[in-house]
Amino acid sequence: MRRLLALGLGAALFSLGWVVGATTPQNPAATYMSAADIAATIDNAPAGRVSDQQVRHIDAGGHNVGVGVVQRPPSRTLGAIQHHNQSEVYYVVSGRGTLVTGGELTNARALPAEGATVRTLTGPSSVGGIEGGESREIGPGDMLIIPAGSPHGFSEVTETITYIVVRVDPDQLVELK
């Protein structure tokens, strides 16, 4: 698993580095996260419930970038979230599920602006359901890019899914870590 984790994290960060380098006038110092840092975050995730833990969130020169780990236990309910400003990149480390992306967010409720989720993870976001959209089964080694404004959520998690999430925060709204 550590080899798969290292390969996926490397690919995600390489892709992100290209974006940062393309939009930053000067090269900011690198932020290193070892495979051990990521594995420790995964190992410390509480079992049996959704866990979204930020590993780092840095100023990348004009925008912020965060790296976190999300773990979701098996479920068959479709809840969705839509981030108004942040794009996300997922890299699946383990587990399987069906992710629905796109369509329209239904019965939308804005997350509290002063809540921990908005301040430390996602920035301004709304939750609800999804009407329409595209369903896709995902598993280990898969990567997805979810643009800001795109509703997304799991309609089913067949086995506990763990994925690394890279969050691009162009308006620098999320607290640094």
Side-chain angles (χ1 to χ4, degrees), residues 1-2 5-6 9 13 31-45 53-56 67-69 164 177:
M1 178 173 109
R2 287 191 189 266
L5 176 65
L9 185 57
L13 294 177
T31 298
Y32 176 73
M33 287 165 275
S34 69
D37 292 337
I38 302 294
T41 303
I42 292 170
D43 292 343
N44 291 326
Q53 299 179 26
Q54 195 78 303
V55 179
R56 300 281 189 286
V67 175
V69 175
I164 295 169
K177 177 178 181 183

Side-chain angles (χ1 to χ4, degrees), residues 68-165:
V69 175
V70 179
Q71 226 169 31
R72 296 178 179 281
S75 79
R76 292 180 182 246
T77 59
L78 177 58
I81 191 163
Q82 180 179 45
H83 310 302
H84 306 304
N85 304 86
Q86 279 194 7
S87 295
E88 296 181 321
V89 178
Y90 290 2
Y91 174 76
V92 181
V93 176
S94 63
R96 298 202 165 278
T98 302
L99 183 67
V100 180
T101 58
E104 295 293 324
L105 190 68
T106 60
N107 300 316
R109 297 175 317 282
L111 292 177
E114 295 304 317
T117 299
V118 170
R119 287 185 304 99
T120 64
L121 296 171
T122 67
S125 301
S126 295
V127 295
I130 294 179
E131 185 175 301
E134 181 179 340
S135 293
R136 177 177 286 112
E137 288 188 37
I138 61 172
D142 290 340
M143 286 186 78
L144 300 100
I145 299 171
I146 303 170
S150 179
H152 54 284
F154 284 88
S155 61
E156 181 177 25
V157 175
T158 53
E159 61 184 79
T160 298
I161 193 165
T162 301
Y163 53 97
I164 295 169
V165 59

Side-chain angles (χ1 to χ4, degrees), residues 47-65:
R49 67 179 182 88
V50 175
S51 172
D52 188 340
Q53 299 179 26
Q54 195 78 303
V55 179
R56 300 281 189 286
H57 197 91
I58 64 149
D59 180 337
H63 59 282
N64 292 345
V65 177

